[in-house]
Amino acid sequence: MTIESIRSLGVDVSKSSVTCHILTQYPIGGLKTYWQKSRNKANSLFPTFYSSPKLKSKQKSAFDFADYVTQNNPDVAILEPTGNHYSKLWAKILESLGINILWVGHIELRRYRGGKNLPNKSDEADALAMAAYAIDRENYLESGELNPRQFLMHRPEPIDQVRELVQQLEHLNRVQSPIINYTRQLLAWQFPEKAHSQTESTKLGNVPPLWGWLAQRKLEVHPPSYKSISRQYQQSAAVQFGFEIDPIVQLHASWLCDIDIEEQRLEIKLKSLVNDELFKIYNLIFDQFNFGLRIRARLLSRIYPFEAFLSNGKPLIEREVREVKKKQVSRENGKSVVKFLPGDVKRVKRNRSRDAFKLRLGMGTVLEQSGDKLVEKGAGSALCRMNFWQYVITKIEVDGRLPDNPIGREIANYKQTLKSNIDPSGKQLLNGKHLQNKLMSKVANLLYRELSRAIAL
């Protein structure tokens, strides 16, 4: 597909609607000029279609969207992966009509829109930017073909299933937290001896003993555990002073049992997918870090295929001669404030593949202007960044939990080096979040290194 023959449909996906725009050639005079001339004709040039239209407002439906696509017959449709659920309906319609879908990353599209001086927070401008993205010569190879590196690579079906299951498990984890908190508050006077005790199911098909006992689901609780809790309850101070288990506690406990059973079902499916032969190389490397099931799934959903970060099968490394400014980072009101001072002219090397990899995993940083200061903020997937933090907290900061292999020893030595960095008074310079962030970055760098060694040419 060459730039001379392409007909591009930009589709900006919102919560319950899409805004579209069609381009057959890149606008003469640039996108900003085109936008200023066309924005007043939004109803005709930038139609909006709704998944749940209000008939009284004469809103167009998903069926009208299908008719619109059929009438205009685009060669490609450009979408941004804004929420896996929000885009699924519209992508399915496009696929059913035989339209080739190209996905553009959030960061790439934001930079592209900003570079073309298009307004932010405008669905119409986003649709225009996406339509132009596929016919902009900057996104083509010298041969005239679309540059695949400018778009997100197609993910196989197992990866989409892994991503969906991970999201469902995280949703269930968020849902049960307030239920557990409220239940424990009530148990503080209805069964105080168990109000703050930990309870987990140890056998597939069983529910956590405490929740199962409270919900009176005897057949789903390990018998000795059920008897033990019953005996503790009879001896409880709450019973002696006339308190009983409230029905609302039983209801909440039953919900928690249902959630636990559902988590077990999802984890069985997730384990089968993650252990697919397709991910054999990735799992061998994950084994070296002793990653758990959920972090493996989250990482796979973000980095597969690893080849997407490479250029012609090799890491993209750029070398240039430029002034390397001295960077000073200070903490003000809980934020990292960055100042740049004049430096020396040096030959520097930038590993673009590694930078893109870390950004995808939430371990990248961006500088944002805040008044007269530059504030450094974490960028990328916040969920992946949380997974790295949990790994540091549970596996690295607790002595003896790292695997006994070269990777584990390298991480342990790095942690010891950081902790041995002290001032003249003997006070440790790095601790808390600063230390954890350093360790998180180290793990991401090691993961990239091992994947490169295993997959890159």
Side-chain angles (χ1 to χ4, degrees):
M1 188 180 298
T2 62
I3 195 169
E4 288 78 13
S5 62
I6 195 169
R7 186 177 180 86
S8 175
L9 168 65
V11 182
D12 178 65
V13 180
S14 301
K15 188 174 182 179
S16 59
S17 65
V18 290
T19 300
C20 305
H21 190 65
I22 287 279
L23 284 178
T24 55
Q25 64 177 8
Y26 192 84
I28 298 174
L31 287 188
K32 184 177 181 180
T33 301
Y34 180 88
W35 167 252
Q36 291 174 340
K37 292 180 179 179
S38 61
R39 62 182 179 180
N40 293 327
K41 302 177 182 178
N43 289 337
S44 57
L45 295 179
F46 300 92
T48 299
F49 304 91
Y50 296 84
S51 56
S52 180
K54 297 178 181 178
L55 299 180
K56 292 183 179 180
S57 302
K58 297 183 179 180
Q59 292 178 342
K60 298 179 180 178
S61 67
F63 298 104
D64 295 317
F65 172 74
D67 293 338
Y68 171 82
V69 173
T70 301
Q71 293 168 7
N72 287 278
N73 193 27
D75 297 297
V76 296
I78 313 299
L79 279 82
E80 180 185 14
T82 309
N84 192 35
H85 301 289
Y86 296 148
S87 59
K88 183 168 285 190
L89 170 65
W90 311 103
K92 186 65 175 180
I93 294 174
L94 291 167
E95 289 173 356
S96 68
L97 296 175
I99 307 300
N100 182 26
I101 299 176
L102 298 176
W103 299 88
V104 181
H106 305 293
I107 296 174
E108 290 82 358
L109 186 63
R110 186 175 64 217
R111 289 175 178 170
Y112 181 79
R113 184 184 61 226
K116 301 299 181 180
N117 294 317
L118 292 175
N120 192 14
K121 304 296 182 182
S122 169
D123 295 342
E124 291 80 7
D126 285 347
L128 171 59
M130 281 187 272
Y133 195 87
I135 54 177
D136 193 323
R137 293 188 180 276
E138 294 180 1
N139 299 321
Y140 280 73
L141 301 170
E142 293 181 358
S143 62
E145 297 289 328
L146 274 171
N147 184 355
R149 287 192 57 83
Q150 299 299 103
F151 302 87
L152 299 178
M153 292 185 68
H154 172 70
R155 294 184 311 217
E157 181 63 25
I159 279 294
D160 286 333
Q161 294 178 19
V162 165
R163 192 183 184 96
E164 179 69 22
L165 290 173
V166 168
Q167 290 176 343
Q168 290 179 12
L169 284 168
E170 288 169 348
H171 166 69
L172 292 177
N173 187 56
R174 289 192 299 269
V175 164
Q176 64 182 311
S177 293
I179 300 175
I180 291 175
N181 292 338
Y182 185 66
T183 303
R184 292 194 185 282
Q185 290 175 28
L186 296 179
L187 290 179
W189 57 274
Q190 296 180 27
F191 195 173
E193 293 79 4
K194 283 291 186 178
H196 303 292
S197 64
Q198 297 299 315
T199 179
E200 294 180 356
S201 56
T202 56
K203 182 181 178 181
L204 191 65
N206 280 358
V207 298
L210 178 59
W211 309 139
W213 184 87
L214 290 169
Q216 299 180 3
R217 294 167 67 156
K218 184 176 182 179
L219 297 179
E220 298 173 82
V221 180
H222 186 51
S225 298
Y226 196 92
K227 291 180 180 178
S228 176
I229 296 174
S230 297
R231 184 170 58 252
Q232 291 178 60
Y233 180 67
Q234 293 303 321
Q235 300 170 356
S236 171
V239 174
Q240 301 303 318
F241 289 95
F243 290 115
E244 296 180 351
I245 301 297
D246 194 281
I248 197 169
V249 172
Q250 297 177 354
L251 175 64
H252 281 57
S254 186
W255 289 345
L256 292 171
C257 291
D258 290 339
I259 290 174
D260 192 83
I261 292 294
E262 180 63 11
E263 284 183 326
Q264 293 179 30
R265 183 187 72 82
L266 293 176
E267 285 189 340
I268 291 173
K269 292 178 63 177
L270 187 61
K271 187 175 183 179
S272 176
L273 288 168
V274 169
N275 290 331
D276 191 285
E277 188 69 20
L278 190 65
F279 310 126
K280 182 178 180 179
I281 294 178
Y282 296 83
N283 278 313
L284 289 174
I285 294 170
F286 292 160
D287 288 341
Q288 298 179 45
F289 292 83
N290 197 19
F291 286 147
L293 174 63
R294 295 198 187 188
I295 188 172
R296 290 179 188 232
R298 170 57 65 186
L299 291 174
L300 281 174
S301 72
R302 300 297 299 177
I303 66 175
Y304 186 90
F306 183 75
E307 290 83 355
F309 301 101
L310 306 177
S311 177
N312 297 321
K314 298 179 180 179
L316 178 59
I317 298 176
E318 297 179 346
R319 293 175 173 83
E320 58 183 1
V321 177
R322 61 179 176 83
E323 180 186 9
V324 180
K325 294 186 176 182
K326 296 178 181 178
K327 182 178 177 181
Q328 288 186 348
V329 181
S330 60
R331 299 286 292 180
E332 296 182 13
N333 299 323
K335 297 180 180 179
S336 295
V337 178
V338 180
K339 292 183 180 178
F340 291 102
L341 304 175
D344 301 325
V345 175
K346 298 180 182 179
R347 180 177 175 81
V348 297
K349 180 174 72 173
R350 292 292 301 274
N351 191 328
R352 300 295 183 185
S353 295
R354 184 191 61 198
D355 293 346
F357 176 85
K358 292 181 68 177
L359 187 63
R360 183 69 63 84
L361 293 180
M363 296 307 301
T365 58
V366 295
L367 292 176
E368 295 184 359
Q369 192 75 34
S370 179
D372 59 346
K373 299 175 182 178
L374 288 173
V375 177
E376 188 175 45
K377 295 184 177 181
S381 171
L383 292 174
C384 277
R385 188 159 57 247
M386 176 62 72
N387 287 147
F388 276 105
W389 178 79
Q390 291 171 337
Y391 179 77
V392 168
I393 293 296
T394 59
K395 296 292 178 65
I396 300 180
E397 290 204 336
V398 180
D399 293 335
R401 290 194 176 180
L402 281 170
D404 186 15
N405 59 29
I407 291 295
R409 289 189 287 273
E410 187 171 352
I411 295 174
N413 291 336
Y414 181 70
K415 181 182 73 169
Q416 189 58 40
T417 301
L418 294 177
K419 288 190 173 183
S420 62
N421 188 10
I422 58 177
D423 62 13
S425 66
K427 181 180 179 182
Q428 186 175 313
L429 294 177
L430 284 174
N431 49 49
K433 288 186 177 180
H434 290 147
L435 179 64
Q436 292 165 8
N437 287 336
K438 289 282 187 181
L439 292 171
M440 289 161 62
S441 183
K442 179 67 173 180
V443 173
N445 285 331
L446 289 176
L447 181 60
Y448 170 80
R449 187 189 72 186
E450 296 304 312
L451 286 169
S452 295
R453 290 174 177 177
I455 298 175
L457 299 177

